[in-house]
Amino acid sequence: MTRSGFVAIAGRPNVGKSTLVNALVGRKIAIVSDKAQTTRRAIRGVVTHEDTQLVLTDLPGVQRPRDTLTERMQRRVEQELGESDAALMVLNAVEGVGPGDRFIAAALRGAKVPVVVAVNKLDRCDRTKVVTTLKDAEDLGIADDIFPISAHKGDGVVALLEHLRGLMPEGPFYFSPEETSDQAEHVLLAELVREQVLRRTRQEVPHAVEVVIDDIFQERDDFVRVRALMWVETESQKGILIGTGGKMIKAIGTKARKELEREMGMQVHLDLTVRVRHGWRGDDRLLDRLGIE
């Protein structure tokens, strides 16, 4: 008899949810950045081990909605929680438990599924801070099981995974054993490009950028051309992305191309174009097109 189910992963922006999903899956399926709101879509990672399959949903950062984009992200959070078999809340051991964590915990308290807490980033703080955060995590009153981990180094990840496997109900696998994500290729490639934008820009620019893969054309078995569009909201943001003499877009493209080559296993020619679409984060039609539900 096999077991399978969905695990919704919740937490404040920048607690390491994407890094944890990548560690559990064993490969990169979610982009990683120190910027808040890195994750805009509910990315599913698939972990299959012998007779158990977990489908991990890396939720957009739970937050109070402030525009159409964040409203959609929040609705997706609530929908995913309602359809899951377990919930995993991730805390940042370095920053400790704050108001944002308590806001998320209040949402999870009403969930009708088992809730597990992972205190992440142990490798970045001393033992005293870890003990304090573990105690505060217990005081949230949402979980009997709390796991100290370092998603970056892999410490405690196996024990957490084994516990989550034990929470899954009996049932058939949702994905074939070799699959690790349900993301379409063009979505993953676009996210790998956006990751490089996030790493190189500051203030409002990272949040105002969306990337769309416009075309993928494989010329040979070992060579593919990828054309990507980067949407921004203002001409000034476009200028920042292009940079003086094109230096910024060249740097983004060089690093993104390497990431695409790693993912696709072949040589990639990446063509980047920046376009302005004023107020795209409040544009329902464009958000639909981008697949941000």
Side-chain angles (χ1 to χ4, degrees), residues 224-279:
V224 64
R225 292 184 181 273
V226 178
R227 185 164 68 243
L229 305 178
M230 296 190 291
W231 292 100
V232 293
E233 292 188 316
T234 66
E235 290 292 340
S236 63
Q237 292 165 355
K238 178 179 179 179
I240 291 171
L241 274 190
I242 293 174
T244 305
K247 288 184 178 180
M248 175 66 82
I249 196 169
K250 182 178 180 180
I252 292 170
T254 298
K255 183 60 178 176
R257 176 178 55 78
K258 293 179 180 178
E259 289 295 309
L260 266 58
E261 288 180 338
R262 176 192 58 78
E263 174 62 29
M264 303 181 81
M266 67 182 72
Q267 184 180 353
V268 173
H269 173 82
L270 176 62
D271 179 24
L272 291 179
T273 302
V274 185
R275 293 184 181 175
V276 176
R277 181 146 180 174
H278 299 286

